Amino acid sequence: MLGNLFEEEKGAFETLETALFGSEKGGAPKTPRSQCKLAGIANQGATCYLNSLLQTLLLTPEFRESLFQLSEADLGRLEDKDKPGTKVRVIPLQLQRLFARLLLLDLQSVSTTELTESFGWTNNEQFQQHDVQELNRILFCAIEDSLVGTSGQSLIQRLYHGNIVNQIICKECGKISERREDFLDLTLSVSGMDSLETALNSFYCTMEVMDGKNQYRCEQCQKLVDAEKGAKIRNLPQILTISLLRFSYDFQKMQRFKETGKFTFPKELNMKPYVEKTSESDDDLQYELFSVVIHRGGAYGGHYHAYIRDIDNLGHWIHPGKVDVEIVGKRKTGAVELIKTNSPAELIEIILQKNPNQAMPVDQLGSEISRQTGVTWNKRYKKNHGTLTKYLSKQRGQIRYNPDTRWVMLAGSKPPSTDGMTTGTDSSSVSLFPDTGIGSSVTEGEVVTDPAVADVSGGHDTTSIQSQEHRKPHKPSSNDVPPLGYRWFNFDDSRVSPITVTEIERHFSGRESAYMLFYRRKHKSRTQEADGNPGYQIPDNILADILQENDNLAKERQEYDAKVNTINVQLHFEPHYHYKEGALKLCHPSGKFSELTIDRRKSVADLLVSVREVGGNLVPEKLTLHRMRDLPAGYHLYDCVSDEPEKLISSLNIDNSAKLFVWDGELVGGGSIPTGPECEPIYLTIIYGNPSKFSCGFSKDISFAAFKSSVCALTGIQESDLTLKKMVGSELSPAFLSLNDEDVSLPLAVLNFQDGDNIIAEDKTKKNDATTNMAVSKERQFTVVVENRCVQTECRWTRQIQVTQGMTVGELKALAVSSFNEDGLLDGGRLRVDHATLGLRPPLHEQQTVYEAGLLGDVCLVLEPGKAPETNQITLTFTPHDPKSDLPDIEITVEKTDTVRDCLRKMLEQASFTGDDWHLRKTNWCGEMAEVLDDLDLTLGKSLVSDGDHLLLLPGRLPPKGYLRLPIHLYPTPSNPHNSADQPGMLAWISAGIQGLLSPSASTTSTDMTVQQPIQIGEVEISKDATLEDLKQQVMTLPTMTDMPVPTFEFLRVRLVSDHRPGQVLRGLTQTLRRLKVTSGSSIAIQIVPHEENLSSNEIVLSVKQRLPGTKTYDVEQEFIWDVSHGITPLNFLQAVADFLALPVEQISVAKHISRQFKWLLVQEQKSPNQKGKKKKGGANKNSMRQAPYHIQDGDVFGVKTLQGDPENTDDFSTEEDILGCEEIQRVADEKRKMREERKKAYGDGPATRRPEVALTIKVDSFT
């Protein structure tokens, strides 16, 4: 496993599109396909690796058509999945459905949820990152297992399997020793290689010479001889998959890294030089590239996407230079919500074109980029183009930038100036764009925009904007269009876009480079019927379902269009308003507006007629409509929307609940008012006096001189005595910026005044407290408690020490040492955390900061003698196992780079043990035995041993590589009244023998085995490839078992120990321990049964116990073997339990005991999540006991209550132990929550941590 090697990069476009189009209240229809006519795959969280591989398989014609040719007779039907005795191949069926939806369903992206559920991914596996090369092998293995016994069982073998032979040739006698192996993909290292041909030649044409100390022992010569060793390709598959090993490990730096050097690969590959002499024709050795899976990122994070050739012409290819920028609108309003383009120049031009002056400050431009694309400039463009200001400074085309005023505008637009923004106050004309010598036009041959592949959503209700006045994109010629069958697309999760074939060459090297290559035989012919036909060979039943779904989608979109085009606007009439303090305000607080409902597909002329009908006498003869916004200072008017009556309302971007001001366009309350964004009011707070303050609005186009005059009039301070300061920073730690040196002719907008600013007005002639009374806070500090344990006293000697999060642990220790006057501490002393629950934690590294060490406020630390660990060291504790005495835990400091062997040696020395028959074992979170550290040459880091871990030092030498040493525990014979009735003699004989072993002093006549505890009867050392029968045979040879009354090994039941109880039953005598997932950390439970037993996969071994009426206790457990072949629903289970206990089913209540949570889960029929109780067509049965929430399995314990015995508390199954356990869990949870709140309060959310490693698995039912 590679851990978080392929961590997802968050897709802001996906997130916003989902929010816009997939989660609208009222059920907005999903986005249809883009103009390329190919569907993407939605990312479930971290499934880009799966999406890239699935798109490659879909566009592999041979795989796709072979899959579609499998009939219901081969695969079964999804509806029958949970019927007893049926064999339904769920994974191939879900692949068929997914591929058909990708080909025909009119959606921009298709979900893979049903497919991943068929993989058995029910525990958030979709949020784990994995390697696409690993997935390729595991998925093909799952498909092969699923197709056993069908007409398609050779599908993977026929298309993807090839053969390699590993040869050793004796140079003396010429004998060739061969070992043949199959491959699904050729794995090639890119390190030290510059091309695919070089790598193939190095791996499959060059022979390694074995001489000197590396000589080969020839069986024929019977001596060590010189030889040649190498691998040869013997047979090639139809689809050749090549995996490039781009990730390596630096053993000096002890970290992974990505090989980013140039590694070229051809579009056509001749494999003849690399293959043994074969009967295959030369045509079968010619391959063409048709898919490249690309990894973007580094060794610890990244993202997958795929470049794939459209062999069957299923998509619509448009040259990237012709693809328009897509502006995606809000579905409810039509307002622009997302601009989607990869070209920053195009993006900036579009944003500036929408502004009335086609200019804005650079800070506002950055905000608009984030708002209108959903991604900040730094996240999307900084890597390739630098910061926004740096990029703007380099522009010499349509975009002009003035670094002095920090304004941006389009060439050819009229530059905003202060004289154009003033209202007649004393100000000078200041141009924001002085003559820079930059031309305002673009020559015919000049390219002013970056060539980019726009991410075209093709979404419903979108507007394509292509500004010919300001953009001259490259116009591809007919020669630029590739021939049919050779057109490439970029599949990036839900986004699909056309690319040119030259784009592939950009990924020969770098952080975004090719990771897997897929080649197809060049001369493989295609039928004419498949060309451009996405429905080719799709099964009729799936085709009918998708066509019906498309009809439903089209109907939904039509209905939704009619619904969302109706908008409500607010009409505000001029007689209700007056102009004051730079803004419009209501004359009376109770003033109201009128609402107008209209279809936004109508014209502005229709809007004017409707306004007259609603407003009546309030509407002036010369009717003008202006857009109005509510600002902190009051209302303000912007652009006029009634100038062009022939325009459609939708083209004006009038949103639902938009405010329109109805007036004559000239006067409000008898006076003229300014309009437009350049004279917006700024809401400022003026602080003066002792202090006093007031807030009001000031038009941002007034000069600073006019602003000072207004402040003087409002505060009563003479202008000659006035001093102004702006308060910056937070209120807790403010700073004050003097405004006395500002140019009085500049407007407030240029001086960067903003809504909410606090302005300090001071009178020079008076002692002014407006500034001195402002609280200035210092850097936030925390209190930690340090206890001195350097001296032995009966009382706790503690000190409270103030620290900051930037302080190092070493500095904190120095404060503690000084506080306690402990300057002569042994080795300088060290600090530990004394946790309330976990006790003393490992010594802290002094180089860490308080934040990095996770020290919360009010944390308790311990100062003790001893040396603090260095940066390259970790502290471990271990329990030495000595059968003669109970030794305490020992603490030891080791190097991070130490191997397990080094660590074992140091621990033996520390514990004063001798000999080599020892090994180390890890423990889990609750101190129980976990996996054995069986690779002695691995470093502690690679063995996932970290600071503070607790290990067990146990006697016994590790088994050889490939072998397991398994502890064997004998458990009592399961109690089963049916077995007792059937075979009383045999059962009594076995029970007496086991009871005598477990409790020698007990009466042999007792048959109550529930009080007996299991005993360890020995260990067996066995190969991982040994069968279950071999394991049973070895168990029979243990000394204890030879004295037991066990006729043959068929009377043994073998189980895995889980939570100190017998758990999973190991079934299938011929199954290997590796296949049964028995590991070095497993413990084996043995039960002797009264008859020969060979349980099938349909028989689940459970424990059932009846609750004693009126108490919180239960009778003895009884073994219950449930045969699920007759049905696996909760109702089937309840009936089976009732039959087992000979009770009426309607008189019992059954619950499953969840021991770790001390809870009981009531067994009852689950309600269907689908509407009206209908089962989803083609879906799995969600009422299965094997699925959530029950997940029934071997070893589960069920409690049974009779309703007559306790009719009032039918759902209460808890015992006294459960109540105490729940209280303890709640206490721990409350403590953890308190710690999280303290950490968040003290430090914020803190840095993100990596997710733990999780193995990639796909679960397949057995069809053999």
Side-chain angles (χ1 to χ4, degrees):
M1 284 301 299
L2 297 175
N4 285 3
L5 184 57
F6 306 103
E7 184 175 354
E8 288 293 314
E9 293 179 350
K10 296 180 180 178
F13 281 128
E14 257 182 55
T15 305
L16 284 176
E17 287 179 46
T18 302
L20 285 171
F21 308 138
S23 309
E24 292 267 4
K25 187 176 180 181
K30 296 179 180 178
T31 309
R33 295 187 179 223
S34 64
Q35 63 191 96
C36 71
K37 304 303 180 185
L38 293 173
I41 300 178
N43 195 320
Q44 293 189 49
T47 55
C48 63
Y49 66 100
L50 174 64
N51 297 347
S52 300
L53 182 60
L54 288 175
Q55 293 284 18
T56 298
L57 296 179
L58 171 69
L59 294 183
T60 306
E62 294 78 11
F63 180 86
R64 180 181 71 242
E65 291 169 6
S66 297
L67 186 68
F68 283 148
Q69 288 169 3
L70 297 173
S71 64
E72 282 189 0
D74 288 316
L75 306 179
R77 302 184 337 139
L78 286 175
E79 293 85 350
D80 301 332
K81 175 180 178 296
D82 294 305
K83 289 184 179 179
T86 59
K87 290 187 176 182
V88 180
R89 328 276 177 148
V90 182
I91 292 178
L93 284 170
Q94 292 293 6
L95 277 173
Q96 280 187 343
R97 292 168 61 86
L98 174 65
F99 282 8
R101 289 166 68 85
L102 286 169
L103 291 169
L104 294 176
L105 195 60
D106 188 17
L107 289 177
Q108 178 180 337
S109 63
V110 177
S111 173
T112 56
T113 303
E114 292 180 347
L115 176 65
T116 53
E117 285 181 356
S118 73
F119 291 169
W121 294 1
T122 58
N123 194 27
N124 294 328
E125 286 88 349
Q126 66 272 21
F127 296 108
Q128 299 293 335
Q129 303 85 27
H130 293 290
D131 180 11
V132 69
Q133 297 172 1
E134 180 186 15
L135 172 70
N136 183 61
R137 300 185 185 105
I138 293 177
L139 178 59
F140 279 0
C141 182
I143 293 174
E144 284 186 307
D145 290 345
S146 298
L147 296 180
V148 170
T150 70
S151 61
Q153 63 182 357
S154 63
L155 188 154
I156 302 298
Q157 177 74 31
R158 175 169 48 87
L159 295 180
Y160 293 95
H161 275 271
N163 298 123
I164 292 177
V165 288
N166 294 294
Q167 296 180 341
I168 298 180
I169 305 173
C170 176
K171 284 190 172 184
E172 293 196 9
C173 67
K175 176 179 171 59
I176 301 177
S177 299
E178 290 187 348
R179 180 172 57 85
R180 178 172 173 173
E181 61 183 50
D182 287 351
F183 69 84
L184 282 171
D185 58 338
L186 292 178
T187 304
L188 300 177
S189 173
V190 302
S191 179
M193 305 292 173
D194 60 358
S195 68
L196 179 61
E197 295 92 333
T198 304
L200 287 170
N201 185 75
S202 174
F203 280 92
Y204 300 111
C205 295
T206 304
M207 301 290 285
E208 176 189 352
V209 177
M210 303 175 67
D211 56 8
K213 294 183 179 180
N214 192 32
Q215 280 189 318
Y216 167 68
R217 183 171 184 82
C218 177
E219 294 180 357
Q220 186 165 307
C221 299
Q222 291 295 310
K223 64 177 181 178
L224 295 175
V225 296
D226 291 348
E228 289 184 339
K229 176 184 176 182
K232 302 288 185 181
I233 300 175
R234 181 157 291 176
N235 294 314
L236 287 170
Q238 297 183 38
I239 310 299
L240 178 60
T241 306
I242 299 176
S243 298
L244 305 181
L245 299 182
R246 284 199 172 270
F247 296 96
S248 302
Y249 195 83
D250 188 331
F251 288 95
Q252 292 183 344
K253 297 181 179 180
M254 301 304 294
Q255 64 183 17
R256 284 195 301 263
F257 68 95
K258 182 176 181 179
E259 300 278 359
T260 57
K262 188 172 184 179
F263 184 88
T264 64
F265 47 88
K267 300 174 185 66
E268 292 189 6
L269 178 63
N270 180 11
M271 290 296 293
K272 186 175 181 179
Y274 318 111
V275 180
E276 273 192 326
K277 293 182 179 179
T278 176
S279 59
E280 295 183 16
S281 65
D282 289 349
D283 288 346
D284 288 339
L285 300 177
Q286 298 289 333
Y287 285 84
E288 282 186 320
L289 182 70
F290 76 94
S291 176
V292 182
V293 176
I294 298 166
H295 177 259
R296 179 175 68 241
Y300 294 95
H303 175 68
Y304 284 111
H305 62 107
Y307 289 171
I308 307 177
R309 180 160 62 91
D310 184 11
I311 298 172
D312 283 343
N313 306 304
L314 303 177
H316 178 58
W317 193 89
I318 302 175
H319 196 286
K322 280 188 173 181
V323 177
D324 295 339
V325 175
E326 287 290 327
I327 298 185
V328 184
K330 266 190 178 179
R331 288 186 171 275
K332 286 190 174 182
T333 65
V336 171
E337 186 69 14
L338 285 177
I339 300 177
K340 302 173 67 176
T341 175
N342 288 337
S343 169
E346 291 176 346
L347 174 63
I348 295 171
E349 288 177 31
I350 293 171
I351 292 175
L352 292 176
Q353 287 168 9
K354 292 164 56 182
N355 190 281
N357 292 322
Q358 296 188 346
M360 63 179 63
V362 68
D363 294 336
Q364 182 182 349
L365 176 62
S367 300
E368 288 296 314
I369 290 173
S370 178
R371 184 178 67 84
Q372 299 193 36
T373 67
V375 188
T376 62
W377 173 277
N378 287 345
K379 186 170 183 179
R380 182 151 196 190
Y381 297 116
K382 184 178 179 180
K383 176 182 175 182
N384 296 323
H385 302 284
T387 62
L388 178 57
T389 53
K390 181 179 179 181
Y391 177 79
L392 293 171
S393 301
K394 295 179 180 179
Q395 295 302 300
R396 295 295 183 267
Q398 295 297 311
I399 301 172
R400 294 178 58 190
Y401 171 60
N402 186 344
D404 297 328
T405 59
R406 292 178 59 81
W407 274 65
V408 190
M409 70 171 291
L410 288 178
S413 303
K414 183 179 179 181
S417 60
T418 55
D419 59 341
M421 296 190 289
T422 58
T423 56
T425 57
D426 183 16
S427 64
S428 303
S429 175
V430 179
S431 175
L432 299 180
F433 289 88
D435 187 9
T436 60
I438 301 174
S440 60
S441 61
V442 183
T443 62
E444 185 63 30
E446 184 177 359
V447 179
V448 299
T449 60
D450 295 341
V453 180
D455 183 8
V456 185
S457 74
H460 180 68
D461 191 20
T462 61
T463 306
S464 175
I465 292 185
Q466 181 78 20
S467 175
Q468 298 298 334
E469 179 180 357
H470 298 297
R471 294 221 310 267
K472 298 179 183 292
H474 167 66
K475 297 181 179 180
S477 65
S478 59
N479 294 332
D480 292 333
V481 179
L484 293 175
Y486 290 88
R487 297 173 179 179
W488 289 78
F489 293 87
N490 177 22
F491 292 82
D492 192 353
D493 288 338
S494 60
R495 302 186 293 272
V496 184
S497 55
I499 61 168
T500 59
V501 70
T502 56
E503 184 75 12
I504 299 174
E505 298 177 2
R506 294 181 52 210
H507 303 288
F508 285 163
S509 62
R511 284 175 55 84
E512 187 172 3
S513 49
Y515 194 66
M516 285 189 78
L517 309 175
F518 293 84
Y519 285 86
R520 177 176 172 271
R521 282 182 178 163
K522 180 177 181 180
H523 299 285
K524 197 113 176 108
S525 61
R526 295 292 300 138
T527 176
Q528 187 65 30
E529 188 179 355
D531 187 59
N533 180 11
Y536 181 63
Q537 291 198 349
I538 294 180
D540 293 339
N541 61 322
I542 299 179
L543 185 62
D545 291 344
I546 292 178
L547 293 178
Q548 180 61 48
E549 194 170 351
N550 276 336
D551 290 341
N552 294 338
L553 284 171
K555 184 178 179 181
E556 288 177 11
R557 287 166 183 154
Q558 291 175 359
E559 293 174 352
Y560 194 77
D561 272 347
K563 180 180 178 181
V564 300
N565 277 312
T566 300
I567 59 173
N568 294 318
V569 296
Q570 298 177 8
L571 300 179
H572 298 255
F573 298 96
E574 178 269 333
H576 297 159
Y577 289 84
H578 66 282
Y579 188 74
K580 183 180 179 182
E581 296 176 352
L584 286 172
K585 299 187 178 179
L586 284 166
C587 298
H588 303 285
S590 60
K592 296 183 178 179
F593 57 83
S594 299
E595 279 199 354
L596 171 64
T597 301
I598 193 168
D599 191 324
R600 65 190 185 94
R601 291 173 290 188
K602 291 185 177 181
S603 66
V604 174
D606 297 325
L607 173 62
L608 295 175
V609 172
S610 299
V611 170
R612 289 190 182 276
E613 293 175 354
V614 173
N617 296 331
L618 295 174
V619 180
E621 182 176 349
K622 180 186 175 183
L623 173 58
T624 302
L625 297 178
H626 268 71
R627 203 186 308 268
M628 184 169 79
R629 284 179 58 193
D630 187 6
L631 302 176
Y635 292 100
H636 185 69
L637 302 185
Y638 291 85
D639 57 309
C640 178
V641 298
S642 57
D643 286 345
E644 302 178 69
E646 69 281 359
K647 274 192 172 183
L648 295 180
I649 300 174
S650 59
S651 67
L652 301 175
N653 291 332
I654 297 178
D655 296 341
N656 204 28
S657 300
K659 299 177 176 63
L660 299 179
F661 191 70
V662 183
W663 65 318
D664 59 6
E666 296 178 359
L667 303 175
V668 173
S672 61
I673 63 170
T675 62
E678 63 275 4
C679 52
E680 284 180 344
I682 305 174
Y683 192 64
L684 302 175
T685 297
I686 310 300
I687 302 174
Y688 67 102
N690 194 32
S692 300
K693 65 179 180 180
F694 63 88
S695 300
C696 64
F698 299 88
S699 179
K700 69 179 183 181
D701 64 338
I702 67 171
S703 66
F704 186 60
F707 172 69
K708 291 180 66 175
S709 299
S710 298
V711 172
C712 291
L714 293 169
T715 60
I717 302 174
Q718 294 296 322
E719 187 166 349
S720 58
D721 300 327
L722 177 66
T723 299
L724 292 179
K725 298 178 181 178
K726 182 191 288 189
M727 188 171 74
V728 295
S730 65
E731 293 185 1
L732 295 177
S733 55
F736 302 96
L737 179 65
S738 175
L739 301 175
N740 294 332
D741 298 330
E742 300 292 351
D743 188 341
V744 296
S745 63
L746 290 178
L748 299 186
V750 176
L751 296 176
N752 203 26
F753 278 65
Q754 298 177 356
D755 285 327
D757 280 352
N758 292 311
I759 306 299
I760 311 298
E762 295 180 337
D763 190 339
K764 299 176 183 178
T765 63
K766 298 180 180 179
K767 182 179 180 181
N768 196 296
D769 293 330
T771 301
T772 57
N773 289 341
M774 300 298 294
V776 179
S777 67
K778 300 179 181 179
E779 182 184 2
R780 189 173 181 189
Q781 296 183 328
F782 309 94
T783 301
V784 297
V785 177
V786 181
E787 179 183 351
N788 185 6
R789 294 191 184 176
C790 300
V791 293
Q792 298 296 328
T793 59
E794 294 182 358
C795 60
R796 295 181 68 219
W797 192 12
T798 61
R799 291 281 190 274
Q800 289 189 345
I801 298 179
Q802 297 290 324
V803 299
T804 63
Q805 67 180 23
M807 180 183 294
T808 65
V809 174
E811 293 170 340
L812 171 58
K813 186 191 75 172
L815 291 176
V817 169
S818 175
S819 176
F820 290 119
N821 295 321
E822 294 284 356
D823 296 328
L825 271 179
L826 178 65
D827 293 327
R830 59 190 182 187
L831 292 175
R832 297 177 183 264
V833 174
D834 189 4
H835 195 274
T837 303
L838 303 177
L840 283 178
R841 306 306 297 147
L844 298 174
H845 292 81
E846 295 189 351
Q847 296 79 7
Q848 288 182 313
T849 63
V850 169
Y851 174 81
E852 293 170 343
L855 304 182
L856 306 179
D858 299 327
V859 69
C860 184
L861 299 176
V862 169
L863 176 65
E864 64 178 17
K867 184 179 180 181
E870 300 293 336
T871 307
N872 61 338
Q873 293 178 327
I874 58 175
T875 304
L876 305 175
T877 57
F878 69 95
T879 301
H881 178 80
D882 189 348
K884 299 179 181 179
S885 60
D886 187 13
L887 297 178
D889 292 348
I890 299 176
E891 185 175 85
I892 186 172
T893 300
V894 296
E895 303 291 326
K896 291 181 180 179
T897 56
D898 279 351
T899 63
V900 175
R901 190 188 308 277
D902 298 331
C903 182
L904 176 60
R905 176 179 52 79
K906 292 178 180 179
M907 288 184 174
L908 289 173
E909 293 175 357
Q910 191 85 0
S912 299
F913 288 171
T914 59
D916 296 329
D917 293 337
W918 297 91
H919 66 276
L920 293 177
R921 194 162 190 165
K922 297 175 68 176
T923 58
N924 59 16
W925 62 274
C926 55
E928 298 172 337
M929 286 188 183
E931 63 268 25
V932 175
L933 298 177
D934 53 3
D935 194 337
L936 297 179
D937 295 323
L938 273 185
T939 63
L940 295 177
K942 287 188 176 181
S943 300
L944 303 181
V945 176
S946 54
D947 191 42
D949 281 357
H950 183 73
L951 304 179
L952 300 177
L953 178 59
L954 301 173
R957 185 187 294 272
L958 287 174
K961 193 170 185 179
Y963 280 73
L964 302 170
R965 179 172 287 120
L966 303 173
I968 308 297
H969 298 83
L970 178 63
Y971 278 76
T973 297
S975 174
N976 189 322
H978 300 286
N979 288 338
S980 300
D982 295 341
Q983 296 183 348
M986 175 68 74
L987 183 60
W989 178 44
I990 295 176
S991 297
I994 299 177
Q995 186 178 13
L997 179 63
L998 298 177
S999 301
S1001 61
S1003 172
T1004 58
T1005 61
S1006 173
T1007 59
D1008 184 7
M1009 305 296 297
T1010 60
V1011 297
Q1012 314 298 342
Q1013 296 298 320
I1015 62 170
Q1016 183 171 345
I1017 59 175
E1019 291 183 341
V1020 296
E1021 187 173 296
I1022 190 169
S1023 170
K1024 294 179 181 179
D1025 296 318
T1027 64
L1028 177 59
E1029 181 178 346
D1030 297 332
L1031 176 60
K1032 288 187 175 184
Q1033 293 281 16
Q1034 285 206 36
V1035 170
M1036 291 288 290
T1037 64
L1038 293 175
T1040 304
M1041 295 300 296
T1042 57
D1043 300 329
M1044 293 297 297
V1046 184
T1048 63
F1049 70 83
E1050 284 90 351
F1051 286 80
L1052 291 183
R1053 179 189 295 165
V1054 182
R1055 308 176 70 170
L1056 297 180
V1057 178
S1058 176
D1059 292 335
H1060 306 290
R1061 291 180 54 88
Q1064 174 191 347
V1065 176
L1066 302 185
R1067 298 171 172 84
L1069 293 177
T1070 60
Q1071 296 287 343
T1072 65
L1073 301 185
R1074 190 190 305 272
R1075 184 70 179 266
L1076 293 172
K1077 298 182 179 178
V1078 179
T1079 65
S1080 60
S1082 300
S1083 292
I1084 301 298
I1086 296 295
Q1087 290 177 312
I1088 303 175
V1089 293
H1091 52 77
E1092 295 182 1
E1093 183 179 80
N1094 186 17
L1095 297 176
S1096 70
S1097 59
N1098 287 330
E1099 293 175 299
I1100 305 176
V1101 180
L1102 307 171
S1103 292
V1104 175
K1105 55 184 181 181
Q1106 284 187 262
R1107 189 178 177 98
L1108 300 178
T1111 69
K1112 288 187 176 293
T1113 58
Y1114 288 85
D1115 200 353
V1116 296
E1117 289 185 9
Q1118 301 181 55
E1119 181 182 274
F1120 169 47
I1121 300 179
W1122 181 33
D1123 187 353
V1124 301
S1125 61
H1126 304 298
I1128 198 169
T1129 66
L1131 290 181
N1132 299 136
F1133 177 71
L1134 292 174
Q1135 184 63 57
V1137 172
D1139 295 342
F1140 175 75
L1141 298 176
L1143 295 171
V1145 67
E1146 62 274 5
Q1147 292 296 322
I1148 65 171
S1149 181
V1150 183
K1152 176 183 175 180
H1153 190 218
I1154 306 174
S1155 58
R1156 291 192 176 184
Q1157 300 178 17
F1158 298 97
K1159 294 182 179 179
W1160 292 83
L1161 179 62
L1162 189 66
V1163 178
Q1164 56 188 351
E1165 190 71 9
Q1166 300 294 306
K1167 295 182 180 180
S1168 172
N1170 299 299
Q1171 293 180 352
K1172 301 180 181 180
K1174 294 182 179 179
K1175 182 179 176 182
K1176 184 177 177 181
K1177 187 173 183 180
N1181 182 10
K1182 301 296 183 182
N1183 246 348
S1184 170
M1185 289 286 289
R1186 290 190 189 273
Q1187 298 178 2
Y1190 303 110
H1191 298 292
I1192 193 169
Q1193 58 187 351
D1194 293 325
D1196 284 350
V1197 178
F1198 288 85
V1200 180
K1201 293 179 65 173
T1202 56
L1203 302 184
Q1204 292 180 347
D1206 195 2
E1208 296 182 357
N1209 298 309
T1210 58
D1211 296 343
D1212 182 14
F1213 285 78
S1214 61
T1215 65
E1216 295 294 343
E1217 292 81 1
D1218 293 329
I1219 295 173
L1220 294 176
C1222 287
E1223 291 176 354
E1224 177 63 18
I1225 290 176
Q1226 186 61 45
R1227 185 190 67 79
V1228 174
D1230 291 342
E1231 183 176 329
K1232 288 182 178 179
R1233 182 171 61 254
K1234 181 180 178 181
M1235 290 175 64
R1236 287 195 298 267
E1237 291 173 354
E1238 288 176 350
R1239 185 180 186 88
K1240 188 173 182 180
K1241 182 179 179 181
Y1243 306 118
D1245 293 335
T1249 57
R1250 297 188 183 275
R1251 294 173 180 154
E1253 291 187 12
V1254 177
L1256 174 61
T1257 59
I1258 296 178
K1259 300 177 183 177
V1260 184
D1261 292 338
S1262 176
F1263 297 104
T1264 55

